[in-house]
Amino acid sequence: MHVLAVLAAALLFGTTGTSQALGPDGTTPLSIGVMRMVIGGTGLAVIAFTLAARHRRSPGSPPSPSLGIRPVSLMVLTGFCLALYQPLFFLGTERNGVAVGTVVALGSAPILAGLLEWALTRRVPSSTWMLATALATAGVVLLGFGGEAGGAGGTDPVGLLGSVGAGASFAVIANAQRRLLDAGWDPFTVVGAMGASSAVIAALGLPFVDISWLGTTSGLVMALWLGLATISIAYVLFTWGLSGLTAATAATLTLGEPLTASVFGIVVLGERLSVLAIGGLVVLAAGLALLAWGSRSRDPRPFALEG
């Protein structure tokens, strides 16, 4: 169930690009990102803290650990990284094109998550994770470069730094949340704190962006979907799934995002993929299937939704 929860989160993450493409004119990546974080972070905090309170009231539920400097710092860190992810991601795609920027950001996240987890715990990732991550990353590379045939592309160093920074932000989120879960915090409190922190940080940018498009029906629908579905619900699923997986495994499973994005691009937006990109989809799906199969009996910290 934990694997399915993370895959469901990746599916929701993967609708982001299509939602933006179907949105109104006059938007900017920064304005969409700010509103997405304000709406999504607030919704995430409300949903997660409600579930956390329900869990604490359930019979036999263990008490929450004491709130000290370390857990508070980690919770705020996840919110900061969540708010930071989008401008870094869009910097990468703006400087180097959608293909290269997306490939570097999504492809670097599971690798950096695995390396960071190894550095923090000295626990070497399993051979299954290594093989599955290699397959999934190769699939993302094929998908990205094959799907953007004739695109501008590029190797601008600032753009590459932004993309790697986005991947690193997600890697930090996965590992920081894993540390909090290992310390005895329930996943809903962890993700609720991340949502509240990210919403506050993003709200500081509201005076500096044009959000007049929010007054249109399509703009409002887009903002609500991007906020509530791809942030609030998706991160509740991701963090609960993470409670039963390693940070490296969860990060690799989120490579289902470009798989989903490609399928929606074909079905909804009428995009056409090259043979190379289709091969990438197959390789990526194989890597995710291998990881799901290898993780089916490994549940380091079970946590039941029913409490």
Side-chain angles (χ1 to χ4, degrees):
M1 289 300 295
H2 295 93
V3 169
L4 293 178
V6 175
L7 286 175
L11 187 150
L12 289 172
F13 293 150
T15 66
T16 300
T18 301
S19 300
Q20 291 175 332
L22 296 175
D25 296 329
T27 62
T28 64
L30 184 58
S31 67
I32 293 175
V34 167
M35 283 309 305
R36 183 188 185 199
M37 285 295 98
V38 171
I39 295 174
T42 302
L44 180 58
V46 171
I47 294 172
F49 284 145
T50 299
L51 292 173
R54 177 174 174 266
H55 170 68
R56 285 194 296 269
R57 291 195 301 268
S58 62
S61 174
S64 298
S66 59
L67 194 63
I69 295 178
R70 175 180 168 80
V72 170
S73 299
L74 287 175
M75 290 176 186
V76 173
L77 176 62
T78 60
F80 175 76
C81 288
L82 181 59
L84 185 63
Y85 177 89
Q86 287 199 75
L88 289 174
F89 179 83
F90 287 123
L91 174 63
T93 56
E94 179 184 30
R95 293 295 187 98
N96 288 322
V98 174
V100 175
T102 302
V103 164
V104 174
L106 298 180
S108 64
I111 298 172
L112 293 173
L115 292 175
L116 182 57
E117 185 171 45
W118 172 79
L120 292 172
T121 66
R122 297 300 174 186
R123 182 172 55 198
V124 179
S126 68
S127 57
T128 299
W129 176 85
M130 292 181 183
L131 178 57
T133 299
L135 281 173
T137 303
V140 171
V141 172
L142 291 173
L143 177 60
F145 288 101
E148 287 291 310
T155 55
D156 179 82
V158 176
L160 289 177
L161 186 62
S163 295
V164 173
S169 296
F170 192 85
V172 171
I173 289 174
N175 276 279
Q177 290 185 335
R178 182 68 260 172
R179 303 286 81 73
L180 289 165
L181 295 170
D182 288 342
W185 291 93
D186 70 89
F188 303 125
T189 297
V190 169
V191 77
M194 180 181 71
S197 301
S198 65
V200 171
I201 294 170
L204 298 176
L206 282 175
F208 307 102
V209 296
D210 179 10
I211 56 172
S212 57
W213 51 266
L214 197 61
T216 66
T217 300
S218 60
L220 180 60
V221 171
M222 179 188 70
L224 290 175
W225 175 264
L226 288 175
L228 298 178
T230 70
I231 294 294
S232 304
I233 297 174
Y235 273 100
V236 168
L237 289 170
F238 173 79
T239 305
W240 179 74
L242 180 62
S243 69
L245 302 168
T246 66
T249 296
T252 299
L253 286 169
T254 58
L255 289 179
E257 177 182 350
L259 180 64
T260 301
S262 298
V263 172
F264 272 88
I266 296 170
V267 175
V268 179
L269 302 179
E271 296 178 352
R272 299 181 63 183
L273 296 182
S274 66
V275 174
L276 185 62
I278 293 174
L281 286 177
V282 174
V283 174
L284 173 55
L288 294 175
L290 174 62
L291 188 62
W293 176 81
S295 303
R296 71 195 188 285
S297 61
R298 295 165 58 183
D299 194 298
R301 195 176 183 85
F303 186 94
L305 276 170
E306 292 76 19

